Amino acid sequence: MSNKINLLNLNEQELTDFIVSLGMKKFYGKQIFTWLNQKIVRDINDMTNISLKDRELLAEKAYIPFLNLLKHQVSKIDKTEKFLFKLEDGNTIESVILRHKDRTTLCISSQVGCAVKCGFCATGMGGFTRNLDVHEITNQFYTIERRLLKQGLQINNIVFMGMGEPMLNIDNVIKAIDILSSEKGVNISKRRITISTSGIIPGIEKLLEEKIPVELAISLHSAIDEKRSELMPINTKYPLEDLFPILQEYQRQTKRRITFEYILINDFNVSDNDIAYLADFVHNFDHILNLIPCNPVDGKDYQRPSQKKIDKIFNYLKDFRKVNVTVRGEKGTDIDGACGQLRQKNLK
């Protein structure tokens, strides 16, 4: 396929330019974009409002890529679904469907592996391979949405919280968001899309520059620089004192509430002092604070606090410090729920 154009890598304007370059009618560009990104057609011959001659020409010059599903797991506990996909070059990525009473959320990967190497994350243990192309990002949505539509369901929200650091692949992530949110595509609102980041400042600045009003989720995990650097080496490059003002500016411009993620690791970041610093930090923002009891990860010695300790932290933050706090419910613990676990097992 290397000599053919990958149609899912093109936004509407690029697709139109390509169609015109083939000598086809300009308005076919809009029609083909809709077939690909709204109707999720995966056979050029199914584009019935395109002439047979032009369909044959398009099939000769271009192709529509697929994701190869290697493994699909469904949790017996909460119906969380995990997908392991094989890419054209043989690499693998994960996507996860999270089911809630009022919505269905798709957790999307943005890279093969991850270079950030947070201490608690299974994905980072496998190292970084490469960024995902635009089609490899959008096709996670399309492949799973097609399955859900057959069940009378659909995806309501997207979170870039799968494998990889989205802000280190920000150009492709933004292009994928533009395609997914297009009125001629699946038309999912940018306000229903969340990017989770370890705090890559240039990526956040790029979102502001491009005026992409998505939700931000910040992997905080400590409000003390030294501890955060120990857990998340990226903090040495983008410390809290630099991250703080860009988050304030992001909130000022977008008016969006910022979510802070805080993994609870016993004997590390759950002391009274740790939690007091945490409350002080998040109170500078219109915020949601998600407390995440540590998940077991092969090769890591981190342990979750007792339920009594978790309750104490939650009650202190909610009742005494008036923090908008939740404890994230576990999802998919019986199906390698933590990000990167299924891929790691497949690699082994």
Side-chain angles (χ1 to χ4, degrees):
M1 296 288 185
S2 59
N3 60 331
K4 292 188 175 184
I5 295 296
N6 181 330
L7 293 177
L8 289 187
N9 265 345
L10 307 179
N11 61 27
E12 184 182 347
Q13 184 59 56
E14 291 169 338
L15 183 56
T16 300
D17 292 343
F18 172 63
I19 293 303
V20 170
S21 75
L22 296 181
M24 296 167 61
K25 299 172 183 177
K26 184 177 180 179
F27 68 84
Y28 275 177
K30 183 183 298 184
Q31 292 177 339
I32 294 170
F33 184 87
T34 298
W35 281 112
L36 294 170
N37 299 289
Q38 184 181 91
K39 299 179 181 180
I40 318 181
V41 160
R42 290 299 172 260
D43 187 337
I44 291 172
N45 284 321
D46 290 338
M47 300 179 182
T48 51
N49 58 354
I50 309 298
S51 71
L52 176 60
K53 178 183 177 182
D54 284 332
R55 274 181 275 155
E56 290 174 345
L57 174 61
L58 189 60
E60 179 186 337
K61 299 296 184 180
Y63 75 104
I64 308 170
F66 287 82
L67 285 180
N68 181 16
L69 180 60
L70 287 183
K71 194 166 186 178
H72 175 220
Q73 296 179 330
V74 181
S75 170
K76 295 178 181 178
I77 300 171
D78 53 31
K79 296 185 179 179
T80 294
E81 297 185 51
K82 192 153 197 177
F83 301 82
L84 182 69
F85 293 114
K86 185 177 181 180
L87 307 176
E88 290 177 334
D89 63 1
N91 281 301
T92 55
I93 56 171
E94 297 176 3
S95 308
V96 180
I97 281 289
L98 303 170
R99 298 186 185 277
H100 308 273
K101 289 182 179 179
D102 58 343
R103 67 193 186 280
T104 300
T105 299
L106 175 62
C107 185
I108 288 182
S109 293
S110 56
Q111 296 180 312
V112 180
C114 185
V116 177
K117 297 183 178 179
C118 297
F120 52 83
C121 180
T123 301
M125 294 174 63
F128 172 72
T129 303
R130 66 173 177 84
N131 287 329
L132 294 185
D133 287 339
V134 173
H135 78 275
E136 293 168 327
I137 296 172
T138 58
N139 235 351
Q140 293 172 69
F141 182 99
Y142 296 141
T143 303
I144 295 171
E145 178 82 335
R146 280 163 63 99
R147 296 170 69 100
L148 291 180
L149 288 173
K150 292 176 183 177
Q151 304 169 32
L153 303 170
Q154 64 182 125
I155 297 165
N156 311 112
N157 297 273
I158 296 173
V159 292
F160 284 87
M161 205 175 284
M163 291 170 46
E165 166 53 72
M167 296 297 187
L168 293 179
N169 188 19
I170 190 61
D171 290 336
N172 286 348
V173 167
I174 287 176
K175 188 174 180 181
I177 288 172
D178 282 340
I179 291 172
L180 291 169
S181 62
S182 169
E183 292 181 359
K184 300 179 187 69
V186 290
N187 195 23
I188 189 162
S189 169
K190 290 184 176 73
R191 297 186 181 276
R192 289 185 172 271
I193 299 174
T194 299
I195 295 181
S196 176
T197 176
S198 58
I200 309 297
I201 292 173
I204 301 172
E205 291 173 336
K206 182 78 171 179
L207 289 178
L208 287 175
E209 179 186 336
E210 299 289 328
K211 300 188 186 310
I212 311 292
V214 295
E215 300 277 353
L216 270 189
I218 303 299
S219 295
L220 188 61
H221 309 311
S222 180
I224 301 170
D225 259 317
E226 294 77 12
K227 283 194 173 184
R228 191 168 190 264
S229 293
E230 182 179 342
L231 195 62
M232 305 172 65
I234 196 67
N235 189 68
T236 60
K237 186 172 184 179
Y238 303 114
L240 291 174
E241 64 178 352
D242 295 336
L243 180 60
F244 183 90
I246 190 62
L247 293 181
Q248 287 199 315
E249 181 62 18
Y250 189 86
Q251 190 157 77
R252 187 189 71 79
Q253 290 193 31
T254 65
K255 313 301 183 194
R256 307 304 294 161
R257 180 175 288 177
I258 293 178
T259 298
F260 293 98
E261 311 281 358
Y262 194 92
I263 193 165
L264 298 172
I265 303 174
N266 200 39
D267 297 325
F268 181 76
N269 64 350
V270 294
S271 71
D272 291 348
N273 189 54
D274 286 306
I275 302 306
Y277 269 92
L278 172 62
D280 290 343
F281 187 91
V282 300
H283 265 309
N284 292 284
F285 303 91
D286 180 10
H287 67 274
I288 299 174
L289 173 63
N290 280 339
L291 301 178
I292 309 168
C294 181
N295 261 327
V297 176
D298 289 344
K300 299 293 183 181
D301 195 30
Y302 298 132
Q303 302 295 322
R304 69 174 54 198
S306 66
Q307 189 59 49
K308 182 178 179 181
K309 180 69 172 178
I310 295 171
D311 291 342
K312 178 185 175 183
I313 292 170
F314 175 80
N315 291 330
Y316 166 80
L317 289 167
K318 183 176 184 294
D319 298 331
F320 185 68
R321 296 302 302 272
K322 307 303 180 186
V323 171
N324 185 6
V325 61
T326 64
V327 178
R328 181 184 292 175
E330 294 182 84
K331 293 285 188 181
T333 53
D334 58 330
I335 57 166
D336 308 304
C339 201
Q341 287 187 340
L342 182 56
R343 178 175 179 263
Q344 284 293 96
K345 286 191 174 183
N346 184 71
L347 290 173
K348 289 177 182 178

